[in-house]
Amino acid sequence: MKISNHRSRRAALAVALGSVLALTATACGDDGSGTGGDKGSEGSGKGEIVFWDNNGGVRTDIWKEIIADFQKANPDIKVEYVGIAATEYQSKVDTAIQGGGLPDVGGVGAAMAAGFAAQGALEPLDGRLSKSSLNGKLNEAMVESLKSAGGGKALYSIPTSANNGVLYYRTDLFKAAGLDEPTTWDAFYKAAEKLTDKDKNKFGYTIRGGAGSIAQALDAMYGQSGITSFWDSSGEKTTVNDPKNVAALEKYVGLYKKVTPAADLNNDFTKMVAQFDSGTIGMLNHNLGSYQDHVKAFGDKFRGIPQPTGPGGKRVQVSNPVDGLGMFKSSKNKEAAWKFIEFAMSHEENSKFNESAGQVPANNDAARDEWIQKAEPTKLAAAALTDGSTSIVQLPYYLPDWNTISKADNEPAFQKVMDGQTSAKEFLDSLADQLNKAQAEWNEQKG
């Protein structure tokens, strides 16, 4: 049944995508229902707008602070904040696109942009940005990343920040065990084993088996295999099931329950981070977003470094999606919605947001602020992304079905690999088949 629903959704998105590519701003009529086809209106630039946070709970406090700043500067606009957990955000937006109730502004990161845009739900923002005080002040690579993710014809989201994969490790535990810094995959595996003492509930690593597991597994696979492209030279077949990636995943999944807690099978990032911060685990793969949590837990007894290097001393990482804010086409107050987006991306506010999140700011002035020099993982991540030391495997965020394939369709299947019910090869062959079909449909629609 799941496969049938998936194909049905993919077909619907493919049809919608054809329309988006042919005529970026096409809408399906204005019925006033607040669905994806509702054209909305500019409004008065005053009154109330609704903002959906795509990482509610984790980012609630900082967004409420930014909203308070905005309302102080714009007393004639009220922003209603709605925090939605990252794991529930896509389904909530998809439901609202079909049934009504979309907000004015919402988080629209690279991983979701194509799916929302293909359903005609997002307002193109190129024209507004070109006339804005932000024009020329945002990181060009982040802007292009979001434009590409949305299908390449229009900019549907204004970037807030870039993230990056980080290996966090306990410097005190490594020193006590006489271990070298885990800068290579060989050192990583050695440390994971040496730091594990199950009888004392001590583990070398915590692996992500719950929501968000696929991206972390892909990072570990490509990092070890050294393969630097998601597609082969034809651009039609994915490399995820290349024999080198299969071998890498087998080794990585082999860590489960051997040097990791059994609870990892169901852990999403919040549980995984909390488990690491409890103090009995040596290493954690996550992104820059959890940096402040580790500071609170360990002070200076940890480091966050770029992913380990693999064959020939080369570092390969998969791309982390750029996050951003989009405007929904059904908004009845687009003028006020744009004012909020513009304000949130200003130097002071974007710096404030990213210092809290520990991420790389999209505003170029904010990216030069002093706090980045003091936040070592962010500083190192920014350098790794720009100094040529890292090859980035670009994930196909432009595929309307990417987020569904990489989450709902395959996270349960990955758990079966961890549990030994399915082989790494079977899992990756199935994933490759889905991706190749989605890529073929994308190429056909593109023309």
Side-chain angles (χ1 to χ4, degrees):
M1 181 61 110
K2 181 174 71 176
I3 293 175
S4 175
N5 288 342
H6 170 57
R7 286 175 178 164
S8 174
R9 183 175 184 272
R10 179 187 288 174
L13 286 176
V15 172
L17 180 60
S19 300
V20 171
L21 290 172
L23 186 58
T24 301
T26 296
C28 304
D30 185 358
D31 61 6
S33 65
T35 61
D38 184 350
K39 288 187 294 187
S41 60
E42 285 299 309
S44 65
K46 301 177 182 179
E48 184 173 312
I49 59 172
V50 178
F51 166 53
W52 283 8
D53 175 9
N54 61 340
N55 202 359
V58 178
R59 301 280 175 258
T60 295
D61 289 346
I62 187 61
W63 273 121
K64 286 191 172 180
E65 189 176 332
I66 291 170
I67 288 169
D69 291 345
F70 174 74
Q71 292 181 156
K72 185 175 180 181
N74 298 271
D76 52 359
I77 302 175
K78 180 184 177 184
V79 180
E80 179 187 341
Y81 171 87
V82 179
I84 302 170
T87 53
E88 300 172 6
Y89 189 75
Q90 179 186 344
S91 62
K92 188 169 180 66
V93 173
D94 281 340
T95 298
I97 289 173
Q98 300 305 318
L102 283 166
D104 300 275
V105 178
V108 180
M112 296 185 186
F116 296 163
Q119 296 178 81
L122 297 175
E123 178 83 2
L125 299 175
D126 311 70
R128 296 176 197 269
L129 179 59
S130 68
K131 300 172 185 175
S132 168
S133 59
L134 293 175
N135 191 32
K137 294 188 176 181
L138 299 177
N139 183 292
E140 194 171 326
M142 295 189 203
V143 173
E144 284 305 311
S145 177
L146 282 175
K147 187 167 185 176
S148 174
K153 296 292 183 178
L155 180 66
Y156 291 108
S157 182
I158 303 298
T160 54
S161 52
N163 219 327
N164 205 20
V166 176
L167 178 60
Y168 293 104
Y169 74 97
R170 291 281 302 279
T171 51
D172 54 341
L173 299 183
F174 270 69
K175 184 177 180 180
L179 288 165
D180 294 331
E181 187 176 44
T183 55
T184 68
W185 282 101
D186 286 344
F188 164 82
Y189 281 107
K190 178 183 176 181
E193 189 167 343
K194 191 166 184 180
L195 293 173
T196 298
D197 186 341
K198 293 183 181 179
D199 292 339
K200 295 182 180 179
N201 199 37
K202 294 180 179 179
F203 298 93
Y205 186 59
T206 173
I207 191 171
R208 189 168 182 169
S213 60
I214 305 301
Q216 182 171 304
L218 291 174
D219 221 4
M221 282 164 43
Y222 282 93
Q224 294 174 81
S225 71
I227 296 170
T228 56
S229 176
F230 195 77
W231 303 102
D232 67 10
S233 57
S234 72
E236 297 176 355
K237 301 294 183 184
T238 181
T239 58
V240 294
N241 61 338
D242 182 284
K244 291 181 181 178
N245 275 335
V246 172
L249 186 61
E250 286 174 345
K251 188 172 184 179
Y252 182 69
V253 171
L255 296 172
Y256 176 58
K257 288 200 291 190
K258 182 182 176 184
V259 299
T260 79
D264 282 355
L265 184 68
N266 297 302
N267 279 358
D268 59 12
F269 84 90
T270 53
K271 294 174 184 174
M272 187 176 65
V273 166
Q275 194 165 255
F276 176 70
D277 289 346
S278 69
T280 61
I281 293 173
M283 294 181 291
L284 162 77
N285 271 121
H286 190 230
N287 55 44
L288 294 167
S290 59
Y291 170 63
Q292 294 293 347
D293 295 316
H294 311 321
V295 171
K296 293 174 186 175
F298 305 121
D300 61 356
K301 295 178 181 178
F302 82 101
R303 285 192 76 195
I305 61 175
Q307 297 284 53
T309 57
K314 184 169 60 174
R315 180 184 297 111
V316 178
Q317 293 186 220
V318 300
S319 56
N320 271 260
V322 174
D323 206 4
L325 293 183
M327 183 191 303
F328 287 94
K329 191 178 291 185
S330 59
S331 171
K332 298 297 191 293
N333 201 346
K334 293 177 184 177
E335 185 179 338
W338 176 250
K339 285 180 183 178
F340 176 66
I341 292 174
E342 199 173 34
F343 184 87
M345 304 311 175
S346 66
H347 176 180
E348 182 179 349
E349 302 301 322
N350 190 239
S351 184
K352 184 183 297 185
F353 174 83
N354 282 288
E355 183 174 10
S356 171
Q359 297 176 171
V360 182
N363 185 296
N364 291 324
D365 292 330
R368 290 187 281 268
D369 283 350
E370 186 179 352
W371 66 264
I372 290 184
Q373 301 306 312
K374 298 176 181 177
E376 186 191 37
T378 305
K379 179 182 177 182
L380 293 176
L385 290 171
T386 58
D387 66 6
S389 67
T390 305
S391 296
I392 302 294
V393 177
Q394 295 294 340
L395 298 180
Y397 301 123
Y398 57 84
L399 294 176
D401 244 2
W402 165 253
N403 223 39
T404 302
I405 291 172
S406 64
K407 292 183 181 295
D409 282 3
N410 282 289
E411 286 174 353
F414 181 69
Q415 289 179 319
K416 291 182 178 180
V417 181
M418 290 177 64
D419 239 1
Q421 299 177 50
T422 304
S423 73
K425 186 177 188 308
E426 288 171 326
F427 168 73
L428 291 176
D429 283 345
S430 174
L431 176 60
D433 184 57
Q434 294 172 59
L435 289 164
N436 292 338
K437 287 177 181 175
Q439 178 78 340
E441 289 170 4
W442 163 257
N443 287 333
E444 185 180 346
Q445 291 295 329
K446 195 171 60 168

